[in-house]
């Protein structure tokens, strides 16, 4: 259609962009970053050791396990779902890698097997949610217990040790001066970002969270999308399992308890709507690092761990309160 | 005599848009005042300001001559202003009375809800409106029309002296519109001042007393209904004449190859319906709201449970388990309810439009090229003339009619061979309507087969090559060429008259 027949208002340039300031203010990253900077400044004021380069690196490394899990959790939450099984799935994948290596399997095969099992476990969650049409919170609550049980069954309840010493590289090594867990975390975030923002699948993730019925009617395969989302969540949990097992140099069946809550907190602190459809994965990174910074700073200050939990809870509530207007 | 309601020099801006610029409106007691204008002219915004939902940047609201300030919808209600929103606002799983009194239930001294009092008041309201609805029934079980009446009852329940009706007739059939008008006339006799918004100009001449026209957020003119006519109104609204809203009729190509043959039996029905669709034809589904048209359309694309679904495409048997299967075969559906079934509300206009054909924008698969996406979006938005500051505007902040245009734009240039449009022009203004009709004709002339479900008879008679009339969940007549007339269609649509027929779910109809 020619432009000449159009009323003036319609002919306005479509690609006109909002001013940089309003774009920043409306970005879902705005409040998470603001919170991050605020906590950063407070922590560096009350603690002179906080700003040491080695301590900053510590913060990032300590946050990496939750950070990696939170990527998969972001996918689930963006679709309007949730994955409570991530902690035990992490433990299950980690112990499996450890067990296979201790049994003499070649390490790459053992690692691949662990990652596969994590993804398959996620796929099972996805299958129940997508095709069984069960609520994700119930499905993953059930499989959370099941995964923990499987990990205990597999190990007989004892930690598995005797791993090849070079395996520690994944948890303690460094590459180009950066610790490997941090590198792995950044890689996972980069992949998550590309998938969410530069592929059709990523768009479907947000669409399902924004309006599932409309997404289905418009011809998107919603069940397939959900299957993939929970598989990704299982995979990132398994990657976290790799890191933590290598860090501890043993397969611990009961590790990861409560990790799902920290991961959810990271996603929410990152500005996502718990009802789905809104959020960005880089916000989740900010949220995860914010949590890690709080842990680290409060430790340095010698705050008791009980009190730490209270403070963290308060900060999460505050963050959700500040961001709530955009959750309408 | 001072006017019951006067809005003076109201202005309101949103980021990137000046929605209202120095607009005034005066309504007397016992007057039905039409507020007209194109999509995005600012009608809903003005009414939301009146009801305290938005705050004006400038201007005054006067009730009975007294300047008022409403900081919330509750404030406005308390002052005697009621509104029936453009989009439904009832809670589907609550009963009718619970909806009417939601948030302000009468309580006794213990703080418990006085249900008997609520029921009594509800009956009194329904008596006043002369409607017959069971107050205990859950809202989602009511027909759209009855839901609309419940909305009105709710708006009136606080003794509103000013009642705003924002496109109340959009989802109603002609008979239901008549019922609504009866209620409105009753209220007018009772001295209620009403503001009535509609894109159906003939309705204006049936019930309204005065008219105010807005264009692009500015005040154009006010006059009495008797001083104007249809064409003059259109010109006031869009600033130019629209001669023929429907494209010229062409003789039907009776030799066109059959594209689709379908035999569908709904899950809980005992009968089956069959239909055929030829290449390049526009097939109308006519009938009352709730007569099973949308369900059949949904069943065609695999979105509704069926007992039998034999579908042949180009003579080959196909099976659709989901709308995605149908889309793969080149069949797309534009659903009836844009908010619930059509739009991804948190998405921008552009992302809504490209959602189901993202694969066209692969740079190398599976990565998307944003710039190619933007080009397509711009072209599609221009074709249906979506009025929005940019393609990145959240679809949520568009006016109702412009949201509908976004849903339509999604199906343009999709490469679909069959398009099913369920009430495509709901909420769309006169000028844009004629463009959408032209667009549909153009699609058909390219060989795309179109099924159009519509409750607007002129649309069916003006556009369709063939019409299937539905009643009580089944196809009762097939009309072609000269037989397509409003009277004939209505006669078939009301076969088997039965009270309250529209409130029965179709699936329970097959006895
Ligand atoms: N919440 C909002 N945020 C931003 N812009 C808005 C918002 N609400 C309305 N607008 C803009 O204000 C203008 C007027 O919208 P309004 O809904 O009043 O139109 P309308 O006359 O009711 O149109 P329609 O006939 O399509 O319902 C439109 O350009 C719309 O995009
Ligand atoms: Mg409107």
């Amino acid at each position: 259609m020619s432009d000449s027949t159009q009323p003036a208002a319609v002919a306005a340039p479509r690609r006109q962009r909002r001013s940089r300031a309003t774009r920043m203010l409306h970005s879902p990253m705005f409040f998470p970053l603001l919170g991050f900077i605020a906590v950063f400044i407070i922590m560096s004021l009350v603690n002179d050791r906080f700003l040491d380069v080695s301590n900053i690196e510590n913060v990032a490394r300590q946050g990496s396990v939750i950070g990696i899990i939170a990527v998969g959790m972001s996918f689930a939450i963006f679709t309007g779902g949730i994955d409570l099984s991530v902690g035990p799935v992490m433990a299950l994948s980690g112990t499996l890698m450890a067990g296979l290596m201790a049994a003499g399997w070649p390490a790459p095969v053992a690692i691949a097997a662990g990652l596969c099992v994590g993804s398959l476990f996620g796929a099972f969650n996805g299958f129940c949610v997508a095709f069984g049409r069960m609520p994700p919170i119930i499905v993953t609550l059930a499989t959370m217990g099941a995964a923990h049980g499987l990990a205990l069954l597999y190990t007989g309840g004892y930690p598995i040790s005797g791993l090849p010493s070079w395996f520690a590289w994944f948890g303690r090594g460094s590459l180009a001066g950066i610790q490997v867990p941090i590198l792995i975390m950044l890689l996972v975030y980069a992949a998550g970002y590309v998938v969410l923002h530069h592929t059709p699948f990523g768009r479907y993730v947000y669409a399902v969270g924004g309006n599932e019925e409309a997404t289905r009617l418009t011809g998107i395969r919603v069940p397939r999308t959900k299957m993939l989302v929970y598989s990704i969540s299982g995979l990132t949990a398994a990657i976290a399992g790799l890191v933590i097992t290598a860090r501890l140099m043993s397969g611990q069946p009961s590790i990861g308890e409560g990790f799902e809550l920290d991961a959810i907190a990271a996603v929410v602190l990152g500005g996502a709507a718990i009802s789905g459809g809104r959020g960005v994965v880089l916000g989740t990174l900010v949220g995860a690092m914010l949590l890690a910074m709080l842990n680290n700073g409060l430790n340095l200050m010698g705050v008791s761990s009980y009190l730490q939990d209270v403070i963290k809870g308060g900060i999460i509530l505050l963050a959700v309160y500040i961001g709530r207007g955009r959750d309408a | 005599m001072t006017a019951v309601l006067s809005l003076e020099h109201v202005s309101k801006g949103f980021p990137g848009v000046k929605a209202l610029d120095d607009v005034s409106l005066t309504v007397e007691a016992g007057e039905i005042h039409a507020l007209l204008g194109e999509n995005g002219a600012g009608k809903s915004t003005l009414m939301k300001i009146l009801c305290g939902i938005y705050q004006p940047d400038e201007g005054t609201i006067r009730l009975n001559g007294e300047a008022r300030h409403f900081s919330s919808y509750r404030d406005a209600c308390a002052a005697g202003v009621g509104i029936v929103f453009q989009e439904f606002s009832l809670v589907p799983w609550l009963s009718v009375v619970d909806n009417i009194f939601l948030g302000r239930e009468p309580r006794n001294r213990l703080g418990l809800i006085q249900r008997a009092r609520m029921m009594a008041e509800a009956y009194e309201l329904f008596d006043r409106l002369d409607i017959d609805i069971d107050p205990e029934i859950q809202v989602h079980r009511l027909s759209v029309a009855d839901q609309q009446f419940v909305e009105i009852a709710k708006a009136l329940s606080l003794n509103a002296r000013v009642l705003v009706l924002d496109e109340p007739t959009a989802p109603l059939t002609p008979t239901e519109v008549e019922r609504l008008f009866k209620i409105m006339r009753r209220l007018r006799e009772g001295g209620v001042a009403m503001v009535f918004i509609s894109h159906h100009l003939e309705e204006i001449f049936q019930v309204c007393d005065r008219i105010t026209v807005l264009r692009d957020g500015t005040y154009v003119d006010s006059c009495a209904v008797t001083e104007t006519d249809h064409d003059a109104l259109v010109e006031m609204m869009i600033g130019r004449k629209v001669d023929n809203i429907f494209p010229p009729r062409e003789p039907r190509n009776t030799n066109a190859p059959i594209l689709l043959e379908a035999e569908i039996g709904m899950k809980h029905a005992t009968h089956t319906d069959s239909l055929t669709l030829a290449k390049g034809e526009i097939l109308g589904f006519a009938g009352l709201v709730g007569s099973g048209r949308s369900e059949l359309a949904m069943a065609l694309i695999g979105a509704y449970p069926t007992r039998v679904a034999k579908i042949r495409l180009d003579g080959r048997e196909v099976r659709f388990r989901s709308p995605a299967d149908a889309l793969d075969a080149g069949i797309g559906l534009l659903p009836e309810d844009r908010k619930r079934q059509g739009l991804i509300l948190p998405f921008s206009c552009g992302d809504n439009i490209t959602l189901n054909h993202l694969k066209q924008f692969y740079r190398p698969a599976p990565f998307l090229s944003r710039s190619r996406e933007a080009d397509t979006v711009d072209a599609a938005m221009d074709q249906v003339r979506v009025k929005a500051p940019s393609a990145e505007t959240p679809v949520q902040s568009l006016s109702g009619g412009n949201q509908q245009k976004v849903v339509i734009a999604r199906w343009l240039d999709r490469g679909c061979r069959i398009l099913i449009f369920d009430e495509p022009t709901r909420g769309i203004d006169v000028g844009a309507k004629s463009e959408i009709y032209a667009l549909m004709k153009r699609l058909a002339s390219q060989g795309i087969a179109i099924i159009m479900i519509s409750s607007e008879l002129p649309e069916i008679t003006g556009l369709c090559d063939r019409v299937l009339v539905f009643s009580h969940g089944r196809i009762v007549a097939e009309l072609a060429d000269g037989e397509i007339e409003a009277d004939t269609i209505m006669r078939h649509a009301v076969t088997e008259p039965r009270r309250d027929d529209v409130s029965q779910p179709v699936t329970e109809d097959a006895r």
Side-chain angles (χ1 to χ4, degrees):
Chain A
M1 279 204 178
S2 68
D3 271 353
S4 57
T5 57
Q6 291 180 5
V10 179
R14 293 246 183 271
R15 280 192 216 168
Q16 133 198 345
R17 294 187 159 250
R18 288 185 283 182
S19 77
R20 179 163 295 186
T22 50
R23 278 169 61 85
M24 228 170 72
L25 202 71
H26 284 92
S27 153
M29 296 279 292
F30 181 72
F31 285 109
L33 274 175
L34 204 69
F36 182 85
I37 293 169
V39 173
F40 189 86
I41 291 175
I42 294 171
M43 286 302 170
S44 48
L45 286 183
V46 293
N47 256 297
D48 34 349
R49 272 177 305 158
F50 181 78
L51 274 182
D52 290 354
V53 176
S54 64
N55 188 53
I56 299 284
E57 210 178 350
N58 263 341
V59 170
R61 199 209 64 237
Q62 286 161 2
S64 62
V65 170
I66 293 295
I68 292 168
I69 293 178
V71 174
M73 187 67 81
S74 299
F75 276 78
I77 288 181
F78 293 168
T79 60
I82 201 151
D83 187 352
L84 297 179
S85 70
V86 285
V89 169
M90 175 187 83
L92 177 65
S93 309
T95 48
L96 186 71
M97 289 177 204
L100 292 181
M101 271 184 279
W105 288 42
V109 179
I111 293 173
L115 297 181
C116 270
V117 164
S119 311
L120 285 176
F121 211 93
F124 178 74
N125 282 334
F127 182 83
C128 295
V129 171
F131 295 98
R133 299 198 196 166
M134 292 183 265
I137 193 164
I138 306 296
V139 169
T140 57
L141 188 66
T143 56
M144 172 167 119
H148 189 202
L150 283 175
L152 288 172
L153 274 178
Y154 178 68
T155 58
Y158 299 103
I160 298 174
S161 47
L163 308 182
S165 59
W166 66 267
F167 182 69
W169 182 79
F170 287 106
R172 304 175 186 179
S174 64
L175 191 71
I178 305 177
Q179 299 193 25
V180 173
I182 302 177
L183 278 179
I184 294 180
M185 174 178 77
L186 293 178
L187 272 178
V188 173
Y189 273 93
Y193 177 84
V194 170
V195 168
L196 279 170
H197 295 283
H198 294 283
T199 69
F201 166 70
R203 201 73 65 79
Y204 303 159
V205 168
Y206 287 106
V208 168
N211 187 344
E212 184 172 334
E213 171 76 352
T215 308
R216 183 178 74 99
L217 284 176
T218 199
I220 309 300
R221 298 186 193 278
V222 173
R224 184 184 290 181
T225 308
K226 287 187 176 174
M227 278 279 287
L228 215 65
V229 160
Y230 287 92
S231 306
I232 288 174
S233 183
L235 175 64
T236 57
I239 295 174
L242 166 70
V243 170
I244 205 162
T245 308
R247 177 89 198 150
L248 302 173
M249 279 307 271
S250 79
Q252 306 263 4
S254 290
I255 202 162
E257 216 175 316
F259 278 28
E260 67 283 347
L261 296 181
D262 279 1
I264 294 167
V267 178
V268 172
L269 283 174
I274 198 79
S275 52
R278 253 169 301 186
V280 284
V281 76
L282 295 184
T284 303
L285 177 59
V286 173
M289 289 303 104
L290 205 158
L291 280 180
M293 205 159 61
L294 274 175
N295 279 334
N296 174 280
L298 295 174
N299 270 337
L300 286 182
M301 285 158 69
V303 176
S304 87
S305 70
Y306 301 150
L307 189 56
Q308 282 188 25
D309 284 347
V310 176
I311 294 176
K312 275 198 297 182
I315 285 183
I316 291 171
L317 272 183
L318 188 72
V320 174
Y321 176 78
I322 292 172
R324 84 202 179 287
R326 304 172 306 155
D327 203 303
Chain B
M1 173 178 164
T2 55
V4 173
L5 164 71
S6 74
L7 295 163
E8 293 166 3
H9 309 290
V10 174
S11 297
K12 172 78 184 171
F14 291 109
V17 234
K18 184 101 189 169
L20 291 172
D21 187 7
D22 192 17
V23 171
S24 301
L25 174 73
T26 307
V27 190
E28 312 274 346
E31 174 184 279
I32 303 180
H33 196 111
L35 185 59
L36 301 178
E38 285 182 289
N39 294 133
K43 305 177 297 291
S44 299
T45 305
L46 186 64
M47 292 303 103
K48 285 182 184 163
I49 285 174
L50 165 61
C51 297
I53 293 164
Y54 294 149
Q55 300 306 315
D57 298 340
E58 280 165 57
T60 332
I61 304 172
R62 287 180 194 280
L63 290 182
N64 296 315
E66 191 186 331
R68 304 294 292 258
H69 170 83
F70 302 134
S71 50
S72 71
Y73 180 42
R74 278 181 98 91
D75 272 11
C77 284
V81 178
I83 183 167
V84 174
F85 290 99
Q86 184 166 8
E87 320 286 347
F88 281 121
S89 63
L90 300 176
V91 185
W93 301 100
L94 286 183
S95 72
V96 169
V97 323
D98 288 336
N99 262 290
I100 291 178
F101 294 97
L102 191 64
R104 47 191 178 75
E105 296 82 356
R107 312 258 178 134
N108 64 16
R109 257 171 306 161
L110 296 175
L112 300 177
I113 292 176
Q114 295 174 299
R115 209 170 162 82
R117 204 171 122 201
M118 273 163 58
M119 289 296 287
E121 282 182 33
Y123 276 119
E124 206 181 299
L125 264 173
F126 289 168
D127 261 2
R128 192 169 143 214
L129 295 173
D130 194 20
I131 51 179
D132 182 19
I133 298 173
D134 176 6
E136 307 243 37
I137 201 169
Q138 283 180 346
V139 159
H140 72 101
R141 304 182 44 134
L142 293 176
S143 71
V144 186
D146 283 342
Q147 291 187 19
Q148 194 73 268
F149 297 144
V150 172
E151 295 256 15
I152 294 176
K154 181 177 175 183
L156 284 173
S157 62
L158 269 171
N159 264 323
R161 304 306 299 160
V162 175
L163 177 65
V164 176
L165 298 151
D166 195 348
E167 296 193 33
T169 57
L172 304 187
T173 48
T175 30
E176 293 162 344
V177 170
E178 262 319 310
R179 276 176 70 198
L180 174 70
F181 287 172
K182 239 175 75 192
I183 292 172
M184 286 170 64
R185 292 194 186 102
R186 242 181 127 90
L187 291 171
R188 171 164 61 188
E189 278 158 31
V192 176
M194 278 168 277
V195 180
F196 176 74
I197 300 178
S198 173
H199 289 294
H200 299 139
L201 296 184
E202 68 284 356
E203 294 171 0
I204 307 300
F205 294 97
Q206 285 172 36
V207 280
C208 297
D209 305 303
R210 284 185 69 78
I211 293 167
T212 293
V213 178
L214 305 182
R215 193 195 305 153
D216 281 335
T218 57
Y219 173 87
V220 178
D221 202 3
S222 292
C223 63
V225 174
T226 46
E227 292 165 18
T228 184
D229 61 24
H230 182 279
D231 294 347
L233 270 185
V234 171
E235 210 177 325
M236 263 159 84
M237 277 169 62
I238 62 184
R240 64 188 157 89
K241 281 201 167 66
V242 176
D243 294 329
N244 262 322
I245 173 159
F246 295 107
R249 258 192 178 288
E250 283 146 33
R252 182 161 70 102
N253 176 7
T254 43
N255 297 327
I258 297 292
L259 201 53
L260 177 93
E261 294 164 88
E263 211 183 305
I264 306 269
M266 293 299 175
K267 193 69 169 250
H268 301 286
T270 49
H271 70 280
T272 57
D273 284 313
S274 48
L275 63 97
T276 60
L277 187 63
K279 213 172 161 214
E281 84 169 332
I282 302 184
L283 174 67
F285 280 11
L288 302 180
V289 172
S291 58
R293 300 168 301 174
S294 302
E295 286 79 0
L296 185 67
M298 294 272 231
L300 266 179
I301 63 160
Y304 204 82
T306 50
R307 180 172 43 81
V308 194
K310 284 204 195 100
I311 299 173
R312 290 169 154 275
L313 200 62
D314 287 330
R316 269 187 304 118
E317 189 105 13
V318 286
R319 213 179 116 76
F320 301 142
R321 285 191 188 78
S322 70
D325 287 345
L327 186 63
D328 286 346
I331 306 181
L333 170 96
L334 177 142
E336 161 178 37
D337 183 337
R338 61 174 167 261
K339 271 239 158 102
R340 215 165 48 79
Q341 307 171 310
L343 293 170
I344 315 294
L345 282 177
F347 273 27
S348 69
C349 300
D351 289 352
N352 262 295
I353 291 172
T354 54
L355 180 63
N356 63 3
H357 45 293
L358 286 171
K359 296 199 166 103
Q360 287 178 11
F361 312 112
Y362 277 153
R363 195 166 26 192
F367 304 107
L368 295 170
S369 156
R370 270 277 177 188
S371 64
R372 276 176 47 200
E373 219 186 314
D375 291 339
T376 308
V377 165
D378 288 352
M381 282 173 72
D382 282 346
Q383 252 192 75
V384 290
R385 296 199 186 173
V386 179
K387 188 185 159 199
S390 84
E392 294 161 42
T393 309
V395 79
Q396 211 158 10
S397 72
L398 295 194
S399 79
N402 282 303
Q403 291 183 358
Q404 181 71 17
K405 292 183 201 168
V406 168
V407 194
I408 294 176
R410 181 185 289 162
W411 293 105
L412 302 177
D413 307 317
R414 265 299 282 107
C416 278
R417 298 194 299 159
I418 298 177
L419 289 175
I420 306 175
F421 286 161
D422 198 345
E423 307 284 1
T425 60
R426 178 170 288 178
I428 286 186
D429 68 51
V430 195
K433 244 184 205 171
S434 77
E435 270 152 39
I436 285 175
Y437 297 146
L439 197 82
M440 285 171 66
K441 263 280 190 265
R442 207 169 62 236
L443 292 174
S445 70
Q446 291 163 5
I448 296 173
I450 296 178
I451 295 178
M452 181 177 69
I453 305 177
S454 175
S455 301
E456 282 182 44
L457 285 177
E459 208 164 86
I460 295 271
T461 55
L463 213 61
C464 294
D465 299 307
R466 217 152 45 87
V467 176
L468 298 177
V469 187
F470 285 66
S471 176
H472 297 90
R474 53 173 82 201
I475 297 173
V476 291
E478 178 179 337
L479 311 173
D481 304 316
E483 303 164 335
I484 305 179
E485 277 180 357
D487 295 345
T488 325
I489 294 174
M490 274 326 282
R491 206 182 59 237
H492 287 295
V494 297
T495 45
E496 263 187 78
R498 195 177 60 193
R499 221 185 128 55
D500 260 346
D501 48 13
V502 284
S503 40
Q504 310 273 323
V506 178
T507 43
E508 290 177 15
D509 259 330
R511 315 207 180 137

